[in-house]
Amino acid sequence: MSAGTGLTRPRVVVLGGGFAGVYTALALEKALGGRDDFEVILVNRENYFVFQPLLPEVISGSIGITDMVVPLRRLLRRAEVHVRDVEAVDLEARVVSTSPGFRPQPHRVGYDHLVLGLGNVTDFRGLPGLPEHAMPFKNLGDALRLRNHVIRALEEASIEKHDRELRRQLLTFVVAGGGFSGVEVAAELNDFVRAVATSYRGINPEEVRVVLVHSQERILPEMAEPLALFAQRLLQKRGVELRLCQRLQSATGTEAILAGGDRITTRTLVSTVPASPHPLLEGLPLSKGPGGRLVTTPELRVEGTANVWAVGDCALVPTPDGNPAPPTAQHATRQAAVCAHNIVAAIRGGDCRIFDHRGLGTMGSLGHRSAVAEIFGLRVSGFIAWWLWRTVYLMKMPGWGRRLKVASSWTLDLLLPPDLVELRLRGSQGLSREHYEPGQEVFREGDLGDCLYIVLSGEAEVLKGAPGREQVLTQLGAGEVFGEMALLEHTTRNATVRCRTAMDVLRLPKHEFATLAAHLPDLRASFEKVMNGRRGAGSK
Ligand SMILES: Cc1cc2nc3c(=O)[nH]c(=O)nc-3n(C[C@H](O)[C@H](O)[C@H](O)COP(=O)(O)OP(=O)(O)OC[C@H]3O[C@@H](n4cnc5c(N)ncnc54)[C@H](O)[C@@H]3O)c2cc1C
């Protein structure tokens, strides 16, 4: 019998469907074998797993957009998959709350063992202008956005023939961060823009600038110096400008501003730094180390807990040499196996294992059929390293189907010119219109507060109480606003809104409302006044 959920068997809930989370769930599935003595639920924002090492290749289109993602349901055969955002974790009650789906109601998932594998985030806080103007590069959406943006910049530059300053901005591409991901992004971007620029009659490829900004004396600090220097020389030969010992400090829509005051005119700024721990973990009363990562024991338990485990980029895992494990896919997958083993040992009884993976080596692609690699102490660079890089990652892709897709994309890429299609994916994320019929409920008492509504036409009633015994609190009509209370107080809805007539509303999602309220104190104050007035009327 499960202690945490009251179910007949223990439940393991894994948060995050990246390398750490997915490989933990896979190892747990394997451990289940023919038995059924515990259940596994994995919660992830997307319904797919991203093979991040190949993400930079999406920029140039050398692999298809979905070649390096695998649907979670194809990977996980026995675990239950919840495609939702994790919104909160209550460690005392052992419950995870996930975001509303089509119904604005909280979904709560109880657990006996909790695995935190939420990765890290690119955090631009404290760097003026970066949240607005710099593009992160972490997931498939980021890669697609960057690719589309770069193609748009080229399209615009080919039209704007006479505005020299604008052309300079459009044809300069800046990447901040000289670690693996920054270098791979800069290399792919450089290859791509230089290759496709020849397809635009209005662009002279000589006008293209790709700049890599890095705060240390050399790029790829994770690698041995000779390999990093090889990478530097190669990138420079291909036209990448290196700005070493310089740090990106702020940005505007047209400039990347460095700490020393240098300004690089650009309309495309990608930043792969700084990486911060997941914001959800910040608020949890768990042991945290440098950079806010969760401190674990060598068995992968979060220090001071019995049933909370952490793996991957969000975890600070000790290794036998005394240093924490680096945040790489290689380490995340090994941690996942140890974590799953130890959870099964905790459920069934048995010995725990400790994480003692020492790292097999490092590899980084430099585009244009070259790479740098350091494997089992052996250092290689150039074409052989590139071949090794591709072979290793191809074999590491989960499933033969994906391997086949990637291999055929790579083969075609050797023969065909890069694709130039700009996918316009603009969907309405902000303010939207909604229509309701008489009797329909906009939301129910107890639902999650996920947006604010403005009545355009029609009428509704605000009701309180159990169905059948509801009391009408007030009426709403055109020009009135409702739904503010749950947003301002971060609580669930305290009343039900049901339409009396057909009603049209404007719907503003919680995030956009929070942004407006944070920057317009008068707006926030006026909503608080409405809220207090309503609360006063409700209590009479
Ligand atoms: C461009 C790039 C290239 C890289 N190249 C290499 C390489 O060559 N070799 C290597 O070893 N490593 C590489 N890495 C690093 C490697 O990808 C990471 O170390 C690894 O992905 C960490 O796995 P993770 O599961 O901890 O985190 P992630 O892979 O980031 O997974 C976290 C998951 O949690 C989900 N999530 C986050 N918040 C929520 C929420 N609130 N609700 C629901 N789900 C949520 C995310 O959607 C994601 O699926 C690269 C990384 C990048 C960005």
Side-chain angles (χ1 to χ4, degrees), residues 73-85:
R73 288 171 201 286
R74 294 265 161 76
L75 270 178
L76 300 168
R77 301 290 176 170
R78 298 184 67 178
E80 208 179 293
V81 177
H82 291 198
V83 180
R84 286 269 174 103
D85 261 37

Side-chain angles (χ1 to χ4, degrees), residues 133-382:
H133 304 296
M135 286 182 258
F137 196 85
K138 273 287 299 167
N139 54 41
L140 185 61
D142 297 336
L144 264 178
R145 214 166 297 125
L146 176 60
R147 176 181 157 80
N148 284 333
H149 176 86
V150 168
I151 299 175
R152 178 106 295 264
L154 293 171
E155 297 290 350
E156 285 297 315
S158 75
I159 301 168
E160 298 285 355
K161 293 195 177 69
H162 305 296
D163 188 334
R164 283 166 60 90
E165 180 52 23
L166 180 58
R167 281 178 72 79
R168 262 195 333 133
Q169 292 166 4
L170 291 167
L171 294 173
T172 302
F173 304 88
V174 180
V175 179
F180 275 117
S181 47
V183 166
E184 290 182 351
V185 168
E188 278 291 323
L189 197 57
N190 186 55
D191 284 359
F192 178 61
V193 281
R194 290 187 194 284
V196 299
T198 53
S199 304
Y200 293 86
R201 268 201 285 157
I203 298 178
N204 175 358
E206 303 269 297
E207 290 177 277
V208 171
R209 269 180 87 197
V210 175
V211 186
L212 176 62
V213 181
H214 183 56
S215 59
Q216 299 177 27
E217 277 178 4
R218 64 169 174 92
I219 60 168
L220 296 177
E222 309 88 337
M223 288 206 121
E225 191 166 349
L227 288 178
L229 295 180
F230 170 87
Q232 277 182 202
R233 282 194 300 275
L234 195 91
L235 290 179
Q236 281 172 314
K237 203 168 118 198
R238 298 215 183 112
V240 177
E241 251 178 71
L242 295 182
R243 295 289 192 101
L244 299 176
C245 299
Q246 303 209 35
R247 196 180 282 279
L248 179 67
Q249 188 180 50
S250 56
T252 68
T254 57
E255 281 177 326
I257 302 164
L258 308 185
D262 273 9
R263 291 164 179 261
I264 309 172
T265 186
T266 184
R267 293 264 172 165
T268 309
L269 172 60
V270 189
S271 180
T272 56
V273 282
S276 287
H278 198 283
L280 193 95
L281 305 179
E282 273 178 37
L284 291 181
L286 291 171
S287 169
K288 304 200 187 92
R293 287 160 78 192
L294 298 169
V295 180
T296 75
T297 64
E299 292 83 15
L300 278 329
R301 263 197 186 92
V302 176
E303 246 179 31
T305 68
N307 65 338
V308 183
W309 310 75
V311 272
D313 285 5
C314 70
L316 199 72
V317 180
T319 62
D321 68 12
N323 293 318
T328 70
Q330 185 192 140
H331 289 82
T333 50
R334 267 78 177 185
Q335 288 164 13
V338 175
C339 176
H341 172 94
N342 293 343
I343 291 174
V344 175
I347 293 171
R348 290 183 186 155
D351 291 337
C352 277
R353 273 170 49 192
I354 63 160
F355 177 75
D356 59 1
H357 179 67
R358 281 163 208 274
L360 303 173
T362 43
M363 290 192 285
S365 165
L366 302 174
H368 237 38
R369 288 170 223 170
S370 61
V372 276
E374 198 171 4
I375 297 183
F376 302 120
L378 198 72
R379 291 175 192 165
V380 263
S381 55

Side-chain angles (χ1 to χ4, degrees), residues 29 32 57 86 158 165 225 245 260 278 290 323 329 333 336 376 396 401 413 426 434 456 471 500 512 515 531 538:
E29 283 189 346
L32 267 175
E57 304 227 352
V86 180
S158 75
E165 180 52 23
E225 191 166 349
C245 299
H278 198 283
N323 293 318
T333 50
F376 302 120
K396 293 241 172 256
D413 183 54
R426 223 170 281 155
E434 284 186 354
L456 296 176
Q471 186 198 343
R500 267 177 21 89
E512 281 76 358
T515 310
M531 179 179 79

Side-chain angles (χ1 to χ4, degrees), residues 436-440 457-461 498-504:
Y436 291 87
E437 287 293 303
Q440 214 181 335
S457 64
E459 286 171 14
E461 287 174 336
R498 188 178 300 141
C499 300
R500 267 177 21 89
T501 65
M503 185 167 82
D504 285 310

